[in-house]
Amino acid sequence: MEYTVQKLGQLAGVSTRTLRYYDEIGILKPARINSSGYRIYGQSEVDRLQQILFFRELGVSLESIKQIINAPTFDSAKAMIEHREKLLEKRKQLDTLIFNVEKSIDVIGGKIMMTDKEKFEGFKQKLVDDNEKKYGKEVRDKYGEEVVNKSNNRVKGMSPEEYEEITRLGDEVLETLHIAFKTGDPAGELAQQAAELHRKWLSFYWDSYTKEAHAGIAQMYVDDERFTAYYDDKQPGTAEFLRDAVFIYTGINVK
Amino acid sequence: MEYTVQKLGQLAGVSTRTLRYYDEIGILKPARINSSGYRIYGQSEVDRLQQILFFRELGVSLESIKQIINAPTFDSAKAMIEHREKLLEKRKQLDTLIFNVEKSIDVIGGKIMMTDKEKFEGFKQKLVDDNEKKYGKEVRDKYGEEVVNKSNNRVKGMSPEEYEEITRLGDEVLETLHIAFKTGDPAGELAQQAAELHRKWLSFYWDSYTKEAHAGIAQMYVDDERFTAYYDDKQPGTAEFLRDAVFIYTGINVK
DNA sequence: ATTGACATTGACGCAACGTAATCGTGTAAT
DNA sequence: ATTACACGATTACGTTGCGTCAATGTCAAT
């Protein structure tokens, strides 16, 4: 069977422009050109296009596809596995994006107010660099008091709805934490999820979140018996488990 | 405080090129131009840039941002909620993408073979429409026998490594399932994760995965006492729980 | 006076096509 | 045979959000 641009386009569900473009960049050349200069595609081109679309659908760039299908002994499985890694990271990014949008909805809704200083802080994650690592050791003492005071002030100004939401989140943290605790792995998915929830929960109390402060608080839970009692309620060792999870989550070890 | 391009750039964490560009497209113009033609930004420009970066971070296009911050009575909350919808859809797409990549890894690995006909079908997901829903009811009877036979043939041709991998996956399914069972919610994240793992596991045995078949198998686990016994081993009711989770996961109810 | 850091304005490049604009062909109907 | 019209071709600009030269002017310090 032979196809013109439009026929092939309809068969495969792509525009004629796309086929021309693929010809242009040398990823799919027609089998031959007829006397009128028309592009004529044959069976092998159909198959090749099929392969191209397959990879394209998976989000692989045309340049990469070119390499893939041109390589004589291409290890496509390996490439796919690598590609999957990329996608998983993309999804992670998207998840934090969604989280931020949701937070911003609250901000705009007036539930959370931001100070002028906080404004830029959020965007400068890169700047949370070595310079700040130095504070790591002192962060517990430093944040210990400060945060408690801040938080108290925070809570006073909350609406009933906000309070409700926070309570729910807090419960969710505990729930996830207890399930995660059974796995025994603070680096596991569940434990990291608990750490994430804990961060969300904290964000309700804090003007600005920093990894350092988060790690500091987690350590505080272990050191301060009032907090330890709260988290170890059902399962002794939970506070420590949470701390370890948060250390991994934040990538910061305060100890 | 007044800033030159570089100062502002450092403050906000963007390149000078970006600031020039923002000036060019009229989204952020400097407060004034000094005698040497330098762009000088003031406090209000800092704030404006802050807002721009805020929305940009959320993945909003500059064009949209322009509209947003220029509108006198812009309902940013509404815009954010809409934007969240878009992001959630994006994530959905990404998830199916990841699913397909994973499937393709199996395909490439030779675990699954595709017929020529199937090849193009894959890209025409749109065609997965009502026409196929009709098979839903009959799927259990249909797949019940077929799958078991197929699977047996499948297993015979497996390598030790493959078998090892499958066993591991199978264990993971059980593990997740049992944790999820404690939450009591088949629609919850854990249960859905279990359903997903179960799908992966199945994909090792099946030539081609379909939601209908998946749902059918899940129901079969409940109906066939051999399977029920296996899944209910530690916790009675687990088979039913898995079935419910899979029904939700696939969006198909076979009952 | 020279140097080096920082400023300016172009202008091209990128990915993967969409979208005209202009013109030649194939074919069916008049 | 002519006309109409669908389909083919090529050329080339537009899209997004800047990165990256290139050429050139300015400021502050040595």
Side-chain angles (χ1 to χ4, degrees), chain B residues 156-249:
Chain B
K156 282 177 194 163
M158 277 178 186
S159 71
E161 291 79 19
E162 269 180 279
Y163 190 76
E164 217 279 309
E165 169 73 358
I166 291 167
T167 311
R168 201 191 54 68
L169 237 182
D171 289 348
E172 209 181 334
V173 170
L174 275 182
E175 216 175 298
T176 311
L177 189 57
H178 283 135
I179 300 173
F181 183 76
K182 287 175 189 161
T183 70
D185 177 19
E189 198 168 343
L190 269 169
Q192 289 305 298
Q193 203 177 311
E196 162 103 1
L197 283 168
H198 186 244
R199 186 216 67 203
K200 275 194 192 173
W201 180 71
L202 273 179
S203 298
F204 269 103
Y205 292 96
W206 288 2
D207 292 326
S208 61
Y209 173 89
T210 67
K211 288 176 181 176
E212 288 76 15
H214 192 183
I217 279 288
Q219 179 61 40
M220 199 173 80
Y221 288 163
V222 175
D223 293 343
D224 190 318
E225 55 188 10
R226 290 171 305 175
F227 288 97
T228 313
Y230 175 69
Y231 280 96
D232 284 7
D233 187 18
K234 290 178 191 160
Q235 292 163 324
T238 305
E240 275 192 56
F241 183 78
L242 173 60
R243 181 202 56 191
D244 294 338
V246 169
F247 280 3
I248 291 162
Y249 179 77

Side-chain angles (χ1 to χ4, degrees), chain B residues 89-202:
Chain B
E89 239 189 70
K90 237 188 189 175
R91 186 172 62 177
K92 247 191 185 172
Q93 282 183 17
L94 200 56
D95 278 341
T96 63
L97 210 68
I98 290 169
F99 171 76
N100 284 325
V101 168
E102 280 171 355
K103 192 176 162 193
S104 85
I105 289 172
D106 293 344
V107 172
I108 292 169
K111 286 174 195 153
I112 299 174
M113 297 284 282
M114 287 174 96
T115 69
D116 281 2
K117 260 181 99 178
E118 283 176 306
K119 288 180 188 171
F120 267 120
E121 294 297 319
F123 307 115
K124 299 186 170 173
Q125 303 117 319
K126 316 154 200 168
L127 304 183
V128 184
D129 56 9
D130 326 87
N131 198 17
E132 300 196 323
K133 279 184 187 166
K134 288 187 293 186
Y135 299 128
K137 262 199 326 202
E138 304 145 310
V139 84
R140 188 168 64 80
D141 306 324
K142 198 180 156 194
Y143 278 89
E145 291 300 321
E146 227 177 90
V147 161
V148 171
N149 293 338
K150 261 195 189 174
S151 298
N152 287 341
N153 292 334
R154 256 324 195 47
V155 174
K156 282 177 194 163
M158 277 178 186
S159 71
E161 291 79 19
E162 269 180 279
Y163 190 76
E164 217 279 309
E165 169 73 358
I166 291 167
T167 311
R168 201 191 54 68
L169 237 182
D171 289 348
E172 209 181 334
V173 170
L174 275 182
E175 216 175 298
T176 311
L177 189 57
H178 283 135
I179 300 173
F181 183 76
K182 287 175 189 161
T183 70
D185 177 19
E189 198 168 343
L190 269 169
Q192 289 305 298
Q193 203 177 311
E196 162 103 1
L197 283 168
H198 186 244
R199 186 216 67 203
K200 275 194 192 173
W201 180 71
L202 273 179

Side-chain angles (χ1 to χ4, degrees), chain A residues 1-41:
Chain A
M1 193 60 173
E2 299 207 313
Y3 305 90
T4 61
V5 271
Q6 200 156 57
K7 292 287 179 68
L8 181 55
Q10 285 183 339
L11 176 68
V14 300
S15 71
T16 60
R17 176 69 177 92
T18 298
L19 292 176
R20 277 207 344 92
Y21 181 63
Y22 287 178
D23 185 4
E24 186 184 332
I25 65 173
I27 196 173
L28 179 71
K29 289 190 175 302
R32 61 190 181 82
I33 306 271
N34 77 5
S35 58
S36 312
Y38 289 18
R39 292 174 176 80
I40 308 294
Y41 297 88

Side-chain angles (χ1 to χ4, degrees), chain B residues 15 17-18 21-22 36 38 56:
Chain B
S15 72
R17 176 67 177 93
T18 298
Y21 180 63
Y22 287 177
S36 312
Y38 287 20
R56 190 185 69 165

